[in-house]
Amino acid sequence: MHPDHTPQWPVEVHQPTPIPSPVVHSAPVVPVQPGTVPTVASIVLPDGRVVTGYAIDHPQPQPVTDPPAVSRTAVNVALGGVGFFAVCGGLLLLTSFIAALTAFIGQLIILAAVIFGGWIAVQVLSTSGHREGGTTVNIRRAVIKRNHFHG
């Protein structure tokens, strides 16, 4: 600009505003469980400063769940009882089957004895009675000398 020349519009002068340095406070000591390290979070503020610190996890309430209507133990006991009665029923049927089979075999043995005994009785009784045909041997006239039979 020339010294004789004055600007036609008003001039505003802006002076930078100093940002006061943050006051350093000592951070409280956070108790840490042994073996766990808390997470560190950094936040950038709108004026460009960065704030770093430990993230605090807020405890979350557990979701409310309804207890089951029937306990697992009761269900297991009931299923065990059903299985036990099913096995007992099967064993009862098995023993009934074995008893029936034994009785049937016993009746077959008795029937065979009666039939065979009747056949033997018929054979014995038919030889002592009336004969039709066959060979007749007369041993009255035989001579026995010195334990030898001469016919």
Side-chain angles (χ1 to χ4, degrees):
M1 285 200 156
H2 195 275
D4 297 334
H5 190 277
T6 59
Q8 296 174 351
W9 61 87
V11 177
E12 290 182 27
V13 177
H14 291 280
Q15 295 294 329
T17 307
I19 299 174
S21 64
V23 178
V24 178
H25 296 287
S26 63
V29 178
V30 178
V32 178
Q33 297 285 339
T36 61
V37 176
T39 57
V40 176
S42 297
I43 299 173
V44 179
L45 297 177
D47 60 355
R49 292 182 294 163
V50 177
V51 178
T52 303
Y54 292 110
I56 299 173
D57 295 331
H58 297 287
Q60 298 293 326
Q62 293 291 337
V64 178
T65 58
D66 293 334
V70 180
S71 71
R72 286 180 168 247
T73 305
V75 171
N76 289 339
V77 168
L79 289 176
V82 169
F84 178 74
F85 284 120
V87 168
C88 287
L91 289 177
L92 182 65
L93 288 176
L94 183 65
T95 54
S96 299
F97 174 75
I98 291 172
L101 186 64
T102 304
F104 178 69
I105 291 172
Q107 288 178 357
L108 283 179
I109 291 171
I110 292 171
L111 180 64
V114 167
I115 290 174
F116 184 69
W119 182 77
I120 294 290
V122 167
Q123 294 299 320
V124 168
L125 294 176
S126 67
T127 58
S128 63
H130 165 275
R131 294 189 190 167
E132 297 179 8
T135 305
T136 303
V137 178
N138 189 357
I139 59 169
R140 285 186 218 166
R141 299 179 86 198
V143 178
I144 299 173
K145 292 184 180 179
R146 295 190 189 152
N147 296 330
H148 290 288
F149 177 77
H150 299 281

